[in-house]
Amino acid sequence: MNHPMALAATEDRRRSTGESHQALYALLGDHDQPITIPAARHAEQARLETAVFLNVCKLGGLSSHPLSIVRVRPEEDRLTLQLLDEPYIIRCWIDFLLPRISSDSGDPRNRICGVAGLRYRREGSTLVLYRPRTLARIVLTGFNSRWWERITDLIKQDYQLLQDQPHWTPDERAAYAATVASAREPEQLFSPLFRRIRATAGPGPVNSTDAWQAVGGSFRLEATDGPPCPDLIHLLGDGPTGLGWRGEHKMCTCLCDHTHGTRNIDFRDPATGREVQYSNGRWGRTADDRHALDELNETAFV
């Protein structure tokens, strides 16, 4: 395959995952078809990805990388995420993800803060997130893995973390079962989106992506400084690596040739029938709006 054709075959996946052309070149065959993005093979893998995604959405915008994810490597049996090499970012991921007991004694889902059943182990320079007795794996790279353990030791002083429990605790099992039964976190929707998270990033220096269930059962996807709407529709919708989401209603003056004003698109996921209401606030933030990340890094180990 000649070079221009090869670049075209990897373009959409590169835009959705942040992977390099060189990394994807080995996946190219003799044809000129675009390289697709594999779905999680097992439901447990998709559920873990969904839980991690919805929890780290709390991060907000601290850099040009949505959720501070620089690069995604999607495989059928695992997901590898390269995170921004900043101590404060790693502290936020730890704080949002590691499970601990909450004082709330009502709904089982409120008894656990973080991701129920989540455990980690360090493997060389990487961190592996997993759930005991499942095949689900998320690999974290891009930072000093010793930071994770150092920060976790600090947080243990304030929280009753469940990391040292080798198996699921009864509270975690109850929270997990209630979440699956409620269908509030459909893995068929959020796992594929997480694998394409960089599709939600705009060209500016600060990007933030958030997702949650809205009133009435639909789901909200929000970007503060997202990409031009035609790009998002292509990458999540009808593009060769897209999700097949159909745009049913759009309030936008695309090709997004001005900088202000919210953009709204109502998507429908044909696979689940779910509605996803997307908005792009176009806040126009600059690098000065990163909440002084350098100063925040100084608090990461305190």
Side-chain angles (χ1 to χ4, degrees):
M1 186 185 300
N2 64 47
H3 185 60
M5 292 173 61
L7 281 173
T10 65
E11 181 178 4
D12 280 3
R13 176 157 165 171
R14 285 186 281 116
R15 176 65 182 84
S16 295
T17 66
E19 295 167 286
S20 68
H21 175 70
Q22 289 77 11
L24 294 173
Y25 189 79
L27 301 179
L28 289 171
D30 296 330
H31 53 77
D32 59 355
Q33 297 302 309
I35 297 178
T36 59
I37 297 174
R41 180 186 301 166
H42 304 290
E44 285 299 333
Q45 178 69 33
R47 286 170 184 159
L48 178 61
E49 292 173 15
T50 295
V52 168
F53 169 54
L54 293 177
N55 274 271
V56 297
C57 275
K58 304 169 187 175
L59 184 63
L62 295 174
S63 72
S64 61
H65 308 290
L67 311 183
S68 295
I69 297 172
V70 177
R71 186 169 291 110
V72 179
R73 181 70 171 184
E75 300 173 86
E76 289 184 347
D77 59 348
R78 70 175 56 205
L79 186 66
T80 301
L81 305 174
Q82 179 184 334
L83 302 186
L84 195 63
D85 188 19
E86 304 280 1
Y88 181 74
I89 298 301
I90 305 308
R91 176 147 192 166
C92 287
W93 272 64
I94 291 171
D95 195 38
F96 296 150
L97 293 182
L98 293 190
R100 53 188 181 267
I101 298 295
S102 169
S103 59
D104 193 310
S105 59
D107 190 311
R109 291 167 293 186
N110 296 332
R111 285 281 294 151
I112 298 293
C113 292
V115 176
L118 186 71
R119 304 292 186 264
Y120 74 84
R121 63 173 178 265
R122 187 158 66 92
E123 293 184 354
S125 61
T126 70
L127 255 295
V128 179
L129 306 179
Y130 67 98
R131 278 170 160 161
R133 299 189 177 183
T134 75
L135 299 175
R137 298 291 183 270
I138 294 178
V139 180
L140 304 182
T141 69
F143 60 94
N144 187 336
S145 60
R146 292 185 178 88
W147 290 353
W148 188 282
E149 294 181 331
R150 182 179 170 189
I151 293 169
T152 301
D153 287 341
L154 288 172
I155 291 178
K156 284 180 180 177
Q157 300 173 18
D158 299 319
Y159 301 121
Q160 183 187 352
L161 297 181
L162 301 176
Q163 169 62 29
D164 295 332
Q165 301 291 326
H167 306 297
W168 295 70
T169 65
D171 284 328
E172 288 178 297
R173 278 291 184 193
Y176 172 83
T179 298
V180 172
S182 71
R184 271 179 28 183
E185 299 182 5
E187 65 271 12
Q188 308 96 320
L189 195 68
F190 288 123
S191 170
L193 177 60
F194 196 30
R195 289 171 168 244
R196 295 162 173 79
I197 191 60
R198 293 202 56 84
T200 66
V206 181
N207 281 284
S208 177
T209 299
D210 198 358
W212 67 93
Q213 184 174 17
V215 175
S218 62
F219 292 88
R220 294 279 296 125
L221 175 63
E222 180 179 273
T224 57
D225 296 88
C229 293
D231 292 353
L232 188 81
I233 291 171
H234 176 75
L235 292 173
L236 298 186
D238 55 8
T241 63
L243 297 171
W245 288 4
R246 295 194 304 262
E248 296 188 335
H249 182 259
K250 182 172 74 168
M251 294 178 59
C252 181
T253 56
C254 287
L255 299 171
C256 294
D257 54 357
H258 57 285
T259 58
H260 300 291
T262 300
R263 316 293 195 258
N264 296 292
I265 306 172
D266 292 340
F267 288 105
R268 180 76 61 180
D269 174 28
T272 63
R274 304 270 190 166
E275 182 185 35
V276 181
Q277 300 169 344
Y278 166 78
S279 64
N280 177 9
R282 297 297 293 271
W283 290 8
R285 293 180 297 173
T286 68
D288 293 335
D289 296 325
R290 296 195 315 162
H291 308 297
L293 187 53
D294 289 340
E295 295 181 10
L296 291 171
N297 282 336
E298 297 178 2
T299 70
F301 302 110
V302 178

